[in-house]
């Protein structure tokens, strides 16, 4: 049997280089300084973006502050806000092809996946629109005859949104429509590696009629743009998705102003396979879980914990499936797994693999860079490593590549202990036909999401986020929406009998 399935380069005329500018107070602004993005798969410049500095970040924050304080969005009715969000959803659907192509060229992900993510994001906007209209606080009519208490929900204010390169449009849509639904104004900074789909989102927002200053976009790097967005006095909240290292930096940077911080960080997510599971289905889900987005995914199931009795045959099954996953040209609609984001990242993945082998782990498949005919070698082979010990870096760190590590267990207690023996706690999965096993695992796994007999299914209604060093706060769902709201208690005396505090002498 062949070792891998590789789709060579297809003939394709690349679009003109995309020119990205900042969106500040409703206007497109250029900078003299610019930065390029070289496509990870095609090795050619696909976008040139304005490189923001302190001036642009300050201007964007000031515009968001002014718009918020003027109430042009924050004091609008929920119905009016929802109408705009629904228009954005329609516009996203009308522009899927254009946005998806650039997303693929900048990130290296397969075009079919980009289409799914961009088109699917429309649903997040529609769900957020429904929240804009149904948001409410509560009332307390039990405080006594003369008192009435009302708890109001109000937009938190100006929100900084900082996003990573691995799901640029999707993650933006996990945050932005929810912040807007709540009535907040925002400053967005996309990753310097994938800025263009966020600029395209800005175009759609203007077309949908979002008032000037409500959503501002600054292109550039963590330093100084992201860092100013985390420290500035006029910002009330930072919502960040990215690495745990930068998440910690943002927490420290924001401490000076005690702004609210919501963090979606890394993961080292296990799928636990019991011998009574539907092993065929589980093997397919494990294969999907590790290679989706070339493993450059916070939800990557980069470690499996499989019962000793079935470990050998299960690994053989995953290896056989891995050989059939279609790696290669991300522009080929048939490709399932694309390129690695940068050469440096490819080298980092490989260093983890080499270290594991040097420490005594067994390479079952792959283990090296992958060359794709007509595109070069910024790809990595599907890789499976067994005999991994829980203390090896490859079993503990977020490798962020198409690399599966296999650990084994004997009892449910062992499986839970291995699952929780991690600094991370984003997601976990369990495979068993026994409902009691699944529920016991689900209740004791330290993770923000637990999947039973499936992997990575998600819905706008269900909150997403992590525990431990995978983050704080939640995204999407009503819980994610609530993150952008502040709570105010309104205490009202409705009778006239308030006893005076000061005893007057006359
Ligand atoms: P990163 O942390 O390197 O960068 C993320 C963003 O932060 C970028 O826009 C970057 O410019 C900005 N940034 C960098 N330094 C900054 C600073 N000092 N202050 C403010 N902003 C700064 O992450 P990445 O490499 O783009 O993305 C990969 C990481 O994201 C992985 O760890 C992955 O697990 C995580 N991730 C998490 C989730 C989740 O929902 N939990 C989803 C996707 C990605």
């Amino acid at each position: 049997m062949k070792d891998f399935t590789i789709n060579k380069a297809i003939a394709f005329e690349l679009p003109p280089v995309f020119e990205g500018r900042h969106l500040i107070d409703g206007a497109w602004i250029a900078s003299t300084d610019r930065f390029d993005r070289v496509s990870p798969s095609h090795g050619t410049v696909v976008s040139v973006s304005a490189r923001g500095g302190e001036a642009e970040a300050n201007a964007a924050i000031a515009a968001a502050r002014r718009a918020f304080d003027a109430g042009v969005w924050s004091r609008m009715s929920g119905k009016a806000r929802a109408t705009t969000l629904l228009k954005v959803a329609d516009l996203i659907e009308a522009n899927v092809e254009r946005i998806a192509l650039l997303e693929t060229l900048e990130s290296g992900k397969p075009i079919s996946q980009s289409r799914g993510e961009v088109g699917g994001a429309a649903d997040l906007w529609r769900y957020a629109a429904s929240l804009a209209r149904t948001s409410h606080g509560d009332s307390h009519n039990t405080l006594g005859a003369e008192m009435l208490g009302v708890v109001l929900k109000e937009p938190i204010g100006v929100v900084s949104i900082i996003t990573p390169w691995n799901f640029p449009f999707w993650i933006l849509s996990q945050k932005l429509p929810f912040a807007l639904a709540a009535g907040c104004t925002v400053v967005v900074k996309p990753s310097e590696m994938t800025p263009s789909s966020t600029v395209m989102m800005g175009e759609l927002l203007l077309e949908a009629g979002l008032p000037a200053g409500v959503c501002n976009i600054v292109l550039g790097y963590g330093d100084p743009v992201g860092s100013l967005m985390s420290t500035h006095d006029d910002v009330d909240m930072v919502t960040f998705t990215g690495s745990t290292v930068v998440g910690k930096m943002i927490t420290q940077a924001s401490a000076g102003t005690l702004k609210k911080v919501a963090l979606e960080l890394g993961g080292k997510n296990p799928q636990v396979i019991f011998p009574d599971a539907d092993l065929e289905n589980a093997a397919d889900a494990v294969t999907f879980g590790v290679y989706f987005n070339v493993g450059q995914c916070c939800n990557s199931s980069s470690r499996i914990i499989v019962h000793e009795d079935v470990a050998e045959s299960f690994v053989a099954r995953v290896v056989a499936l891995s050989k059939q996953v279609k790696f290669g040209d991300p522009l080929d609609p048939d490709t399932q797994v694309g390129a690695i984001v940068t050469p440096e990242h490819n080298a980092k993945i490989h260093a983890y693999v080499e270290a594991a082998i040097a420490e005594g782990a067994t390479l079952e498949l792959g283990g090296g860079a992958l060359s794709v005919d007509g595109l070069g070698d910024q790809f990595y082979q599907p890789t499976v490593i067994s005999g991994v010990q829980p203390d090896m870096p490859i079993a503990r760190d977020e490798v962020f590549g198409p690399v599966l590590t296999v650990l084994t267990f004997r009892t449910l207690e062992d499986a839970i202990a291995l699952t929780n023996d991690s600094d991370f706690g984003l997601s976990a999965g369990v495979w068993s036909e026994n409902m009691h096993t699944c529920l016991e695992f689900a209740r004791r796994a330290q993770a923000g999401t637990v999947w039973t007999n499936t992997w990575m299914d998600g819905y706008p209604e269900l909150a997403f986020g992590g525990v431990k060093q995978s983050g704080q706060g939640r995204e999407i769902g009503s819980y994610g929406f609530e993150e952008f709201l502040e709570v105010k208690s309104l205490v009202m005396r409705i009778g006239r009998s308030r006893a005076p505090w000061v005893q007057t002498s006359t």
Side-chain angles (χ1 to χ4, degrees):
M1 193 202 244
K2 61 187 179 210
D3 261 357
F4 312 113
T5 306
I6 305 172
N7 287 344
K8 61 179 196 266
I10 59 165
F12 193 96
E13 195 181 331
L14 296 184
V17 172
F18 184 82
E19 299 226 1
R21 287 175 297 167
H22 316 290
L23 176 61
I24 300 175
D25 211 5
W28 293 105
I29 309 287
S31 294
T32 35
D33 227 3
R34 306 195 324 160
F35 62 98
D36 294 342
R37 175 61 177 155
V38 173
S39 165
S41 50
H42 287 71
T44 171
V45 173
V46 287
S47 66
V48 178
S49 305
R51 180 173 177 165
E54 286 188 15
E56 289 85 354
N58 279 325
I61 293 167
R65 185 79 259 164
R66 273 195 310 277
F68 185 82
D69 293 345
V72 291
W73 182 253
S74 56
R75 290 204 284 273
M76 220 182 221
S77 70
K79 179 180 173 183
R81 288 206 285 261
T83 303
T84 305
L85 299 188
L86 291 171
K87 274 189 204 154
V88 177
D90 292 344
L91 287 168
I92 289 172
E93 279 173 343
N95 286 276
V96 167
E97 217 36 55
R98 200 170 68 91
I99 303 171
L101 177 57
L102 209 54
E103 190 90 324
T104 282
L105 289 173
E106 284 188 340
S107 70
K109 66 175 64 190
I111 188 70
S112 56
Q113 190 188 319
S114 291
R115 287 178 183 141
E117 283 166 22
V118 174
D123 193 37
L124 292 168
W125 285 78
R126 294 205 173 100
Y127 177 69
S130 76
L131 296 172
R133 293 195 71 169
T134 52
S135 171
H136 60 86
D138 43 37
S139 59
H140 293 261
N141 201 22
T142 53
L143 307 177
E146 303 219 331
M147 301 302 291
L148 180 62
V150 175
V151 179
L152 300 174
K153 300 274 179 77
E154 298 183 337
I156 200 163
V158 174
V159 178
S160 289
I161 296 180
I162 303 174
T163 57
W165 49 261
N166 57 348
F167 296 94
F169 198 81
W170 179 262
I171 287 172
L172 178 61
S173 296
Q174 288 201 153
K175 298 174 187 290
L176 180 57
F178 294 85
L180 294 177
C184 297
T185 61
V186 305
V187 178
V188 181
K189 191 199 89 61
S191 166
E192 57 277 18
M193 285 187 258
T194 52
S196 302
S197 60
T198 299
V199 174
M200 288 174 161
M201 173 74 87
E203 293 167 2
L204 305 186
L205 296 177
L206 294 187
E207 198 177 333
L210 191 77
V214 174
C215 177
N216 306 275
I217 298 168
V218 184
L219 309 177
Y221 289 75
D223 180 19
V225 180
S227 123
L228 239 169
M229 288 166 67
S230 315
T231 48
H232 202 290
D233 257 336
D234 281 342
V235 171
D236 301 295
M237 173 180 175
V238 185
T239 171
F240 168 81
T241 299
S243 59
T244 296
V245 171
V246 174
K248 288 177 183 174
M249 288 163 75
I250 287 178
T251 302
Q252 281 171 356
S254 61
T257 49
L258 283 183
K259 54 179 97 291
K260 181 172 180 179
V261 177
L263 302 170
E264 297 293 336
L265 310 174
K268 188 73 187 175
N269 316 295
Q271 293 205 56
V272 175
I273 292 103
F274 283 84
D276 68 339
D278 173 346
L279 295 172
E280 211 171 299
N281 211 342
D284 183 76
V286 163
T287 309
F288 162 63
V290 69
Y291 301 129
F292 176 68
N293 217 47
V294 219
Q296 299 173 142
C297 178
C298 57
N299 263 331
S300 168
S301 61
S302 52
R303 57 181 178 135
I304 57 167
I305 303 171
V306 55
H307 193 276
E308 282 171 9
D309 289 353
V310 292
E312 204 179 317
S313 58
F314 189 80
V315 170
R317 209 187 282 248
V318 171
V319 166
L321 288 176
S322 302
K323 292 177 178 175
Q324 294 175 55
V325 177
K326 294 161 185 161
F327 280 59
D329 186 354
L331 289 174
D332 182 341
D334 185 52
T335 295
Q336 293 173 287
V337 181
I340 300 292
V341 70
T342 57
E344 295 74 27
H345 189 53
N346 224 6
K348 183 178 157 199
I349 294 168
H350 192 54
Y352 272 108
V353 172
E354 284 189 315
I357 295 163
E359 284 173 292
T362 309
L363 185 65
E364 303 275 356
L365 181 72
L370 181 71
S371 192
V372 173
D373 245 3
L375 291 182
D377 61 0
Q378 207 171 300
F379 295 80
Y380 203 82
Q381 296 168 351
T383 298
V384 179
I385 302 179
S386 64
V388 170
Q389 298 307 313
D391 58 348
M392 291 179 180
I394 204 162
R396 308 199 71 79
D397 298 353
E398 190 183 44
V399 174
F400 233 49
V403 178
L404 182 68
T405 55
V406 183
L407 297 115
T408 56
F409 75 95
R410 187 82 237 141
T411 65
L412 173 66
E413 287 302 319
D414 295 343
I416 291 171
L418 281 169
T419 293
N420 293 340
D421 178 22
S422 172
D423 291 337
F424 297 109
L426 190 59
S427 54
V430 58
W431 290 84
S432 166
E433 292 296 289
N434 184 330
M435 185 188 73
H436 300 287
T437 304
C438 290
L439 286 180
E440 175 81 8
F441 177 85
R443 292 176 72 170
R444 293 174 61 192
Q446 295 166 354
T449 298
V450 177
W451 284 290
T452 71
N453 297 316
T454 187
W455 187 257
M456 230 183 320
D457 288 315
Y459 299 88
E461 290 84 349
L462 299 185
F464 178 68
V467 301
K468 303 201 276 188
Q469 294 192 30
S470 287
Q472 57 193 38
R474 288 294 175 269
E475 232 157 56
I476 64 175
S478 57
Y479 291 97
F481 173 61
E482 296 279 328
E483 299 278 347
F484 297 108
L485 292 169
E486 202 44 279
V487 171
K488 180 188 277 176
S489 291
L490 178 56
V491 185
M492 296 177 280
R493 176 172 292 281
I494 50 181
R496 300 273 170 220
S497 63
R498 181 178 175 276
W501 185 62
V502 180
Q503 306 298 317
T504 49
S505 47
T506 53

